[in-house]
Amino acid sequence: MDEVKVVVAHSERATLRVGDMFLKVDADQARIDAEVEAMSLAPVPTPEILWHKPPVLAIAALPGATLGRLGGPSTGSSTAWAAAGAAIRKLHDAPLPPRHGRAGRSSGALAAELDAECELLVANGVLPADLVTRNRQVAEAALRPWTAAFTHGDLQIAHVFVDGDEVTGIIDWSEAGQGDALYDLATFTLGHEEHLHDVIDGYGTDVDLDVIHAWWSLRSLLAVRWLIEHGFDPSAPGCEIDVLRSRM
């Protein structure tokens, strides 16, 4: 029998690897349905769906390896990062999916969520007030009108696989839908600012860097408490709190 490896697990969902198969267990049926739908529509390589029996989705492993992870070194070349940028652009240029994704929240809703979260971060002593205040100021640039694109919604570098300099697949589509394209680019380069220009070169169009920086701050501010409460460490070197400090 193949060894069972826990890839990630918390109170909302878990992913297990068994041989060449991944089992995703999610109590939120709508999230699994959104993932299956998005993978069927995305014009980029995605894992093969082996079977789907709620609350479990079984997908095949992808060839190659990820470009790295938040808080760790990048394992990919500049060419591989540019290839990822080109794949992201292909996704963003595709016909819009029917749903709104995580990157599609309105500016008003995001501003309200961000202000409430910043207040909690300071009141509970999670982060220093000056760090929160500065990053809330930086985050303001993300709260602007945008043209809807087909977005992944959780495009961490650990979700993009490459073999050499070729993108072999993108995983974890449960947050996909219509949204702000720069949210995806910012999520993908979070903690790896040194590769931002490689990604933009592959993406092939001008990108507002102030908005990318704003999304880094906004995403990190909203993530810190959730990560702590679910057993992750946003204070690890290169992770969210370091991202926030880099804006000071």
Side-chain angles (χ1 to χ4, degrees), residues 23-49:
L23 301 177
K24 301 190 69 175
V25 185
D26 196 326
D28 186 337
Q29 182 59 40
R31 198 156 46 203
I32 288 287
D33 290 343
E35 179 157 14
V36 171
E37 179 184 59
M39 286 195 289
S40 72
L41 296 173
V44 295
T46 61
E48 177 189 359
I49 297 176

Side-chain angles (χ1 to χ4, degrees), residues 92-106:
H92 290 167
D93 284 345
L96 294 175
R99 306 172 190 250
H100 284 271
R102 184 160 185 80
R105 291 167 290 173
S106 72

Side-chain angles (χ1 to χ4, degrees), residues 42-45 81-96 148-152 155 160 167 170 173 181-182 184-185 188 198-207:
V44 295
W81 281 84
I88 296 168
R89 177 64 184 273
K90 187 174 182 180
L91 174 67
H92 290 167
D93 284 345
L96 294 175
F150 189 154
T151 54
H152 179 280
L155 198 61
V160 178
V167 175
I170 300 175
W173 291 83
L182 296 193
D184 273 354
L185 290 175
F188 186 63
D198 295 327
V199 173
I200 293 172
D201 285 346
Y203 195 72
T205 189
D206 290 337
V207 168

Side-chain angles (χ1 to χ4, degrees), residues 139-228:
E140 188 68 25
L143 306 176
R144 86 281 178 229
W146 40 266
T147 300
F150 189 154
T151 54
H152 179 280
D154 191 22
L155 198 61
Q156 305 172 43
I157 58 170
H159 293 163
V160 178
F161 283 73
V162 296
D163 189 358
D165 295 331
E166 178 184 355
V167 175
T168 58
I170 300 175
I171 64 171
D172 283 5
W173 291 83
S174 61
E175 307 289 353
Q178 298 181 31
D180 179 0
L182 296 193
Y183 179 90
D184 273 354
L185 290 175
T187 302
F188 186 63
T189 54
L190 184 75
H192 287 279
E193 187 168 357
E194 73 277 10
H195 285 294
L196 176 59
H197 287 288
D198 295 327
V199 173
I200 293 172
D201 285 346
Y203 195 72
T205 189
D206 290 337
V207 168
D208 189 331
L209 296 182
D210 287 341
V211 175
I212 296 289
H213 298 160
W215 274 122
W216 287 343
S217 290
L218 198 159
R219 181 181 170 91
S220 297
L221 286 169
L222 292 182
V224 167
R225 270 195 329 116
W226 186 95
L227 291 167
I228 293 170

